[in-house]
Amino acid sequence: MLSIISYLREGLYFEAIIVILSRCFIVFCCLPIHELAHGYIAYKLGDDTARLQGRLTFNPFSHLNPLGTLMIFLFGIGYANPVPIDFSRLKNPRKDTAIIALAGPVSNLLMGFVSVFVYYALSVFDNGGTVMYAIRYFFYFAASVNVTLAVFNILPIPPLDGSKILASVLPDRVYFKYMRYEQYVMIALMLLLFSGVLSGVISWLSNSMMTVISIIPSLIFRGA
């Protein structure tokens, strides 16, 4: 919301609209697909809890968390309701939990790749008009948003997906000691996010990943 207000104050109405659309895109597309990916992989690995609770759906209202949604519109980073998982139904709980956790960020990277692919593909039809510029700008923003969500969620900090992946490689004794301080780590994470301390790290990782997923589309369409 702060960035939207600053754009409006400076008369940058187009940029403000793009930011609003991108955050709507996160809420109504990125987060639901992220959670659906968790639930679907859990289902394939033997746990149908998410399916029984109606979470294997693209319907955003089945996944959204009111506070997490508000945070997205205010700060650009938020969360959805996590998909319920019954670990007793998994054949290999430690390994399968890591795979389920990884599914969310991977879904965001795939959406990011598709978005950046469309962005470069549209360059073939770009005649310099405002409408085409707006469409391409949106797809680039969509790619950036998905990559940032993937990078953010892969951080090995509870309750992010990265912490569950970390659990699969840490000895039980070390992991349980780490998880004992989960609430404090979450508070620290929020403070670091709101203070902007993590912004540089997340931005650098996101930009690096954007460069990687742009290699193939740029090679295909720059020569078109």
Side-chain angles (χ1 to χ4, degrees):
M1 186 65 73
L2 296 177
S3 60
I4 296 172
I5 292 174
S6 64
Y7 282 141
L8 292 174
R9 284 177 176 173
E10 295 175 16
L12 302 174
Y13 303 113
F14 176 76
E15 286 76 3
I17 291 172
I18 291 297
V19 171
I20 293 171
L21 288 175
S22 70
R23 294 185 183 182
C24 287
F25 180 71
I26 296 172
V27 169
F28 295 109
C29 183
C30 302
L31 290 185
I33 292 177
H34 180 104
E35 295 303 328
L36 172 60
H38 285 313
Y40 178 74
I41 296 300
Y43 174 67
K44 299 301 288 187
L45 291 174
D47 178 21
D48 62 352
T49 306
R51 183 183 67 82
L52 294 174
Q53 294 190 15
R55 297 295 300 276
L56 296 190
T57 175
F58 288 101
N59 181 2
F61 297 104
S62 297
H63 302 287
L64 298 182
N65 177 282
L67 179 59
T69 300
L70 180 62
M71 286 176 59
I72 288 173
F73 281 107
L74 291 177
F75 306 108
I77 293 278
Y79 57 92
N81 287 322
V83 166
I85 298 173
D86 186 345
F87 299 101
S88 65
R89 297 187 180 185
L90 301 174
K91 294 179 181 179
N92 188 332
R94 172 173 283 199
K95 176 184 175 183
D96 291 349
T97 298
I99 295 173
I100 293 169
L102 189 60
V106 167
S107 72
N108 289 124
L109 285 178
L110 288 174
M111 285 189 285
F113 177 77
V114 170
S115 296
V116 84
F117 193 93
V118 173
Y119 167 78
Y120 277 101
L122 289 174
S123 66
V124 177
F125 309 99
D126 192 351
N127 58 3
T130 303
V131 174
M132 180 57 71
Y133 173 76
I135 295 173
R136 292 191 67 215
Y137 193 91
F138 173 77
F139 276 103
Y140 188 84
F141 228 98
S144 178
V145 163
N146 271 292
V147 168
T148 300
L149 281 173
V151 168
F152 176 68
N153 275 285
I154 210 69
L155 295 176
I157 302 172
L160 301 178
D161 296 326
S163 67
K164 300 177 180 64
I165 298 170
L166 179 65
S168 67
V169 297
L170 285 179
D172 288 338
R173 179 177 58 83
V174 176
Y175 178 71
F176 288 133
K177 184 177 292 187
Y178 178 62
M179 291 302 292
R180 187 183 305 171
Y181 302 100
E182 178 178 6
Q183 290 184 334
Y184 302 105
V185 174
M186 287 176 59
I187 293 173
L189 174 62
M190 292 297 104
L191 291 174
L192 288 173
L193 279 174
F194 296 149
S195 66
V197 173
L198 270 182
S199 299
V201 175
I202 294 175
S203 178
W204 181 82
L205 291 172
S206 298
N207 290 337
S208 299
M209 184 56 65
M210 279 291 289
T211 300
V212 172
I213 67 172
S214 297
I215 292 175
I216 294 176
S218 64
L219 289 175
I220 293 175
F221 295 108
R222 277 183 179 168

